Amino acid sequence: MKEKALNRRRFLKSSVCGAIGTMSVPAFITGCTSAGKKEEGVTLKDVEVPVLLDKAPEGKPLKAGLVGCGGRGTGAAIDFLSSGDGLSIVALGDVFEDKLSACRRELKNKGVDIPDDKCFLGFDAYRKVVDSDVDIVLLCTPPVFRPLYFEYVVEKGKHCFIEKPCAVDPVGARRILATAKRAEGKGLSVISGTIRRSQKDCVETYRRVAGGAIGRIVSAHVIRHGGALWHVKRKPGWTDMEYMLRNWVNFCWTSGDLVVEQFVHEIDMMTWFMGDIHPLKAEATGGRQRRVTGDMYDFFSIEYVYENGIHAHCTSRQIAGCDNDHSVLVYGTKGYTNCFDTIYNPDGSVAWKYPYPEEGAADQSMKVQNPFVTEHVRLVTAIRTNKPVNDVDKHVQSTLIAMMGRMSAYTGKFVTWEEMIASTMKLGPETYAFGPVPGIPEEIPVAGAAVE
């Protein structure tokens, strides 16, 4: 049988240093910690959380460059401009001219006109954006490119917004982590696109849970069931690379599959409320019923197993015509929470609910701003107050946890945390150029072995 691009042999192969050389391993990947958990019976106590401003403070003008001009990149550029005064987008980069042009038009409609000599095309466009006169780089390409691009951003001493997920494979995740440590040493600020940690109602709910409101965490149940995602069918004349990049959300090497690219939001939220601990192993199933292009699954069911008997059950689906649901429930010995805005007693009655202000009320201090804007408010505020922020370690951890689920489902085997952080799996071609992409057939992973 022809070897697939993803298989257990490649996944389990080799050392923790892998292809990125020797690096220090942070605490979160060397042992399961119970940091942030409170023993049953203690009273609620104050927990420090980020201060979320509605708008960044005044300060020096800051110029940003955008790498990746698709829908999310264009949205991130507009969100950045909305986060404060004295902010500008001055350079754009993408591999596709139509994507860059569409972004450029959208920005022009917002009063931002990017000149021709600041619009860069090609696989090296990221370098040209970074080398422009920018203070901040917004990395919004398909996630496979982020480890390489982030390295160059930090090498050149620029602050960074890095969209989720930060990588599609363990090698890329460790590469991101190593680069983030260098960014920290340079005093650079980096904010990730895991938006719930920048959402005011979620942050206040977390503060109470971390302070003991639901007691000791015992389990979690997470669902993200939604409709089918967009896809692009191959057109005559497109090379493998163009087809895969234009259809990037349907290929594992470009997106990480739905559990890494999309469901990572919910996995990150669950992990955050559980105290930023990692599971010992993942036990998963998955498959494909309706997706019509690419090499990915369209549904997953994952059981994460932690120390002390804690289990978390997570399911995700991208199939049209089904009932949908979106929930993140974390259970404790004294109650449970939906992680967004409500804490419940064990009998299901409401113990606390976030106090959303009424429209027109005089006090709007608890109003929840758009978290896609607030994450940029946090970045700009950190730069202007000279108080660097860097949340990449948590971003990497959540991405690796999502990868554990994907790999367990694809292989039909239980995947441990130690196997994940030691894996040298690297997805995608070694070089990026338009043309053939050998070794990555448009085939669906098949778990287990056929029974004769």
Side-chain angles (χ1 to χ4, degrees), residues 213-214 331-337 342-352:
I214 65 172
Y331 296 85
T333 53
K334 296 181 180 179
Y336 63 99
T337 178
T342 309
I343 294 173
Y344 299 91
N345 293 310
D347 64 1
S349 61
V350 174
W352 174 86

Side-chain angles (χ1 to χ4, degrees), residues 253-362:
W253 78 267
T254 48
S255 72
D257 206 319
L258 75 92
V259 73
V260 176
E261 197 280 324
Q262 185 185 71
F263 199 39
V264 70
H265 273 309
E266 288 68 38
I267 288 175
D268 178 70
M269 197 176 194
M270 173 194 76
T271 302
W272 176 30
F273 273 74
M274 291 177 71
D276 279 314
I277 61 174
H278 65 73
L280 301 178
K281 67 176 179 176
E283 306 174 359
T285 61
R288 172 160 155 166
Q289 290 187 328
R290 298 293 186 180
R291 195 181 295 276
V292 296
T293 64
D295 63 353
M296 297 170 14
Y297 286 177
D298 52 20
F299 65 92
F300 287 87
S301 178
I302 309 166
E303 186 83 0
Y304 290 109
V305 182
Y306 297 78
E307 280 186 344
N308 303 320
I310 297 173
H311 285 241
H313 184 220
C314 302
T315 68
S316 188
R317 180 177 64 206
Q318 290 176 335
I319 300 176
C322 300
D323 288 342
N324 295 331
D325 191 12
H326 185 201
S327 61
V328 181
L329 298 173
V330 173
Y331 296 85
T333 53
K334 296 181 180 179
Y336 63 99
T337 178
N338 69 356
C339 299
F340 284 92
D341 60 7
T342 309
I343 294 173
Y344 299 91
N345 293 310
D347 64 1
S349 61
V350 174
W352 174 86
K353 188 170 180 62
Y354 185 85
Y356 296 103
E358 293 184 5
E359 189 77 27

